[in-house]
Amino acid sequence: MSDKLNKEGPLSNEELEDLVASTDTGGRTPDNAFIVKLMMGLALVWSVWQIWIASPLPYIFNFGVFSGKEARPVHLAFSIILAFMAYPAFKKSPRHEIPLADWGLAIIGALATMYLFAFDTAFGDTLTGSRLSDRPGNPILPDIIVACVGVVVLLEATRRALGPPLMIVAMVFLGYTFLGPYAPGILAWKGASFGAVADHQWLSSEGVFGIALGVSTGLVFLFVLFGALLDKAGAGNYFIKVAFSLMGHLRGGPAKAAVVASGMTGLISGSSIANVVTTGTFTIPMMKRVGFTPEKAGAVEVASSVNGQIMPPVMGAAAFLMVEYVNISYFDVVRHAFVPAIISYIALVYIVHLEAMKLDMQGLPKAGETKPAKLALLSFGITLSAVLAIGGGLYYLSELFNLLGSTFNKLAAILILIALQMGVFKGIVARSAEGTKALIFSKGAVVLCNVVIVCFGIFFAVNLIRELAGSDLTPWIVGASILVVYIILISICAKYPDLEVDDPNAPVTALPEPGPTVMAGLHFLLPVAVLIWCLMIERLSPELSAFWAVALMIFILLTQRQVFAFFRKEAQTGKLKQGFSELVEGLIAGARNMIGIGIATAAAGIIVGTVSQTGVGLVLAELVEFLSQGQILLILIFTAILSLILGMGLPTTANYIVVSSLLAPVVVSLGQQNGLIVPLIAVHLFVFYFGIMADVTPPVGLASFAAAAVSGGDPIRTGFVAFFYSMRTAILPFLFIFNTDLLLIDVTPLEGVVVFIVATAAILLFTAGTQGYFFARSKMWESALLILIAFTLFRPGFWMDLISPPFSKTEPATLVDVMGSLNSGSEMRLIVQGEDDVGDPLVFTAILPVLDGATSEERLEKVGLELLIEGDEVIIDNAAFDSPAQAAGLDFDQKILSVLVPVSQPAKELMYIPALILLAFIGLIQRRRSRAAQSEAATA
C-alpha cells in the first residue's frame, strides 16, 4: 500500500480499488477459483448468520437462538478466519495465494474462539467434567492454553488487518498485567498470574469478549451491512449526483458538493478511506478543474469524509458503543450528537465558499435558469423559516392531539394535514407557475414543506392504525403500506433515466438538472426513512431497527430492477438473477467491511480488560491531575493530545474504546472536583471527535494519503491543509464541554432551534476568523475579533458569570435555612470534602436538587440527606440509598465546606447584543473595503 501512496501523480481506478481493499477489506486476491469462492462463501454465511440472530425468526421458530455470550465467539471466529485469508502477513508475502501458515493460524484462531462456545455446553461438560460457566475465576490447564494461543493469534490478526500500532498498545497493556511489580512509582501493582489473566482476558466478559465485541456483534455489523447493501443498490452514486446537481453551480461548487456528498455517504460508509476514494474519485478532479490546487482539493475531501463518521444516525460504530458505555438510549446519543455534526458540515461548506471567494472561482455550468444570488439567499431563508414554522406548529399540534388521545381527533389531524398539503401549497405552486414570486418561494421550498407535512401525517396515521387495529395487526398494515409507498416511488423514479456512473476525468459541459436527478432515486430514501423511523419514533432497539432496514434493502435489491422494467414496459428477462447477484455481492461486501472492525473491538477489549483488572485508571487519574494541577482545560488538552497520538495508529473505533475507558471517568471526576459538572456523554463525544481527527493528522493520517493518491498532490501538505480545515471540528468538543446546550441537554424543542441557529452563526464566524476572510480579506485584529464574537455566541454565560456570578457562597451551617428558602426545582451546590476510592483526601462539587416540602427538614428528608451540625462544622451523617443525595456523590462522614446558593442572574443571551454590534462594525468595514476593491478592479 505504501508504494502506491508514495507514487507520483494520481492513481488509476484499479489502483484506488486496491488501496481501499488493502486498508479496509484485505488486499489478497487468490488465483485459485475455489479459494475465492470459499472466502466469498464464508463472508456470505457470516452476513446471513448475523441477519438471522438479529431477526425475530429464531424466537418464532424456537430454533437457532444465540445469546450474546454465545454469539460473540462466533462473530470473532469469522473475523479471524477472514482476516488471515484476506490480509497478507508482510508486504512481500504472496497476494495471489494463501500460504499454509495462514491456513493454520486461521483454523487455530477459530478453534480458540469457538472453545468458549463449545465448552460451555454439554459437550464441554463431557470432555472436561464441567462447563466454563461452572468454574468462573478458576481456569483449568486447557483453558489457560487456549486463552494464551487465542490472544497471540488475535494480536497477529490485529497486526495484519489494522497495522502494528494497536497490536503494540495491546501488548504493552497485556505486559503491564504481568510486570506490575516492576513498574515505576505509582504505576506499580502486585501483578497477575497466567491463570488470572487468561480467565479475565479470554474466558470472561471483561476482556476480549467484552462490551466492545458485543456491540460489534449485535449492532455494528447490521449497520455496516445496511450501508453495503444501500451502496450496492446504487445509493452511493445517487447521493453524489444529487449533491452535484444541487451545489455544483455555486462558487467552488464541486468542493461544496463533495462536502454534501460525503455527509450523505457517511450514512452508508463507516470508513474514512473508503469515503475519500468513493466520493473523491469524482469530486477531486472537478475541484481541480475550477481552480483548487491538488492539496486543497484533497484536503476538502478528507475533511468532509472524516466528518462522515460524526454524522448521525450511524456515526460509524461509536454511537452504539456510547449506548453501552454511557448507559443512555440510542435516541439520546443521536440527539446529543446532532447539532455539533450538522454545524461542523455547514462550517466546512463555508470554508469552501471562502476559499472560492479568495480565488474568485466560479461554479460549473448549470442546466436551466440560474437564480440570482440575493434571491437564492432570500429563497433559502424563506424556505428554512417555512419549514421551521410548519414543523414547530405541527410538533405542538401532535402534542395536543396526543394529549386529547381520541381516535376522532387523530383522524381530524390527518384530514387537516391533507387539506394543508393539497390546498395551500398547491396554490403556491400554481402561482409560481404563473410567474408570481416564482424566484422567491421556489418549488424546492414547497417540496421541503410538503415533506414535513407528510412526515407528521405518517406519524398520526401510524398512531391511528395502532389504535384501531391493535398491536398484532399494526405491523402487517404498516408493512403493506411501505410496500405500496415503495411501488409508488419506483413508478415515479421510472419516468426518469437511470443515473449512470460518470467518468470523473471526462469534460463537464453542464451539471445534471436537480429535479430529474433527485427524482431518479427517491426509493433509496425509503430504507433510510424506515431506519430513522424505527430508531427515533418507534424507539425500537438499534439492532431490531437495523434488521428491518436491512430486510427492506434485501427486498429492494431483489425487486427494484423488475419493478422498474414493469413501469418502463421493458423485458423482465434476467432482472431477478441480476438483483440476486447484487444482493449476494452486497452481503459479501458488508462482511468484508466488518473484518477490521471485529478484530479492532476484540483487540481493544484486551486494553479495557487490563484497565479493569489492574485499576490503572485510578493511577492515570492521579497522574493527569498532577500534570494538570487540577485545571480542567489542561485535562481536556491532555485528553485531546492522547486521543490524537493513539488515533494516529488506531482505527477510530479502537481509539474511542481505549481513550474513553482510560480518560472519560477521569475528566468527569476531576471536573467535579473543580466545580464543573460535565455530563458523561459530553466527555465521550469529546474523545470520539479527537479520535476521528487522527485520520486527518499528519504524518500518519491515512485519509490524507488516500486523497493525495487520487489528486496527485503531496500527502503531507494535504494532511496539514486538511487539519487546518478541520479546526472547527477540533474546537467544538471544547465548547460543548463548557456549554452543554450544544448537545441539547435539558433544552426544550424551541430552545433547541435557537441553539442550532446561534451555534451555526458562531461556527461560521469562527471559520471566517480562522480563514482570514469575511466579506474581504481580514486584518489580524479583525480575525481576532471574529473569533471572540464566535466564542461569545457559543458561550455567552462565560462573560455573564464574570459580570454577575450565578452563585453566592455561604457558610455550611446555613444549609438547612437555605434549603427552605429556595424555590422548588432549583439546584444548590455543595463543596464537599471526603475520600476517593483508595482513601485519599478529595474535594468535589455536588449538585443537590431542591424538592417540594413544607419545611426545610422535610426537603432534606426527601433528598435523602441527614446532617450532623456542630457549631460551624457540618458533617454528612447519612445519604439514603438510591436518593438524590447519593446520586450527587454524598456519603457518610463527608464534610461540607461551603454552600453555593443560586442567585438571580440576567439572561446570558444579553451578551449577544454587544457581540452583534461588534460584528456589524466589522461587517461594515469589510463591505466598504470589498466595494472599493471591486471599483478598482472595474476601473483597471
Side-chain angles (χ1 to χ4, degrees), residues 110-231:
L111 291 175
T113 57
M114 292 302 293
Y115 180 87
L116 276 76
F117 178 83
F119 281 76
D120 206 20
T121 61
F123 176 73
D125 204 355
T126 302
L127 289 182
T128 62
S130 63
R131 303 185 184 190
L132 285 174
S133 55
D134 295 334
R135 47 180 190 272
N138 186 30
I140 60 177
L141 182 60
D143 296 343
I144 298 174
I145 293 174
V146 169
C148 293
V149 171
V151 168
V152 171
V153 174
L154 173 61
L155 290 173
E156 170 58 15
T158 303
R159 183 191 67 81
R160 294 191 185 201
L162 305 164
L166 179 56
M167 180 199 70
I168 293 172
V169 173
M171 289 178 65
V172 169
F173 275 81
L174 198 58
Y176 176 66
T177 60
F178 295 110
L179 304 176
Y182 308 102
I186 60 174
L187 292 175
W189 82 294
K190 65 178 183 179
S193 65
F194 262 91
V197 174
D199 179 73
H200 193 82
Q201 293 284 10
W202 194 262
L203 303 177
S204 74
S205 59
E206 296 291 330
V208 171
F209 297 95
I211 290 175
L213 187 63
V215 171
S216 177
T217 304
L219 297 175
V220 180
F221 191 103
L222 286 176
F223 279 87
V224 171
L225 179 60
F226 173 70
L229 295 176
L230 198 58
D231 186 49

Side-chain angles (χ1 to χ4, degrees), residues 14-54:
E14 292 76 13
E15 290 172 320
L16 288 172
E17 289 175 4
D18 182 57
L19 170 62
V20 176
S22 61
T23 54
D24 280 353
T25 61
R28 185 176 274 154
T29 54
D31 292 330
N32 189 308
F34 175 76
I35 301 300
V36 173
K37 290 180 180 178
L38 178 62
M39 293 174 65
M40 294 171 62
L42 283 171
L44 180 61
V45 170
W46 189 12
S47 288
V48 172
W49 177 78
Q50 291 280 173
I51 295 171
W52 171 263
I53 65 171

Side-chain angles (χ1 to χ4, degrees), residues 206 234 265 337 405 536 729 789 803 809 853:
E206 296 291 330
T265 53
M536 303 299 173
T729 305
I789 294 169
I803 298 171
K809 189 175 182 179

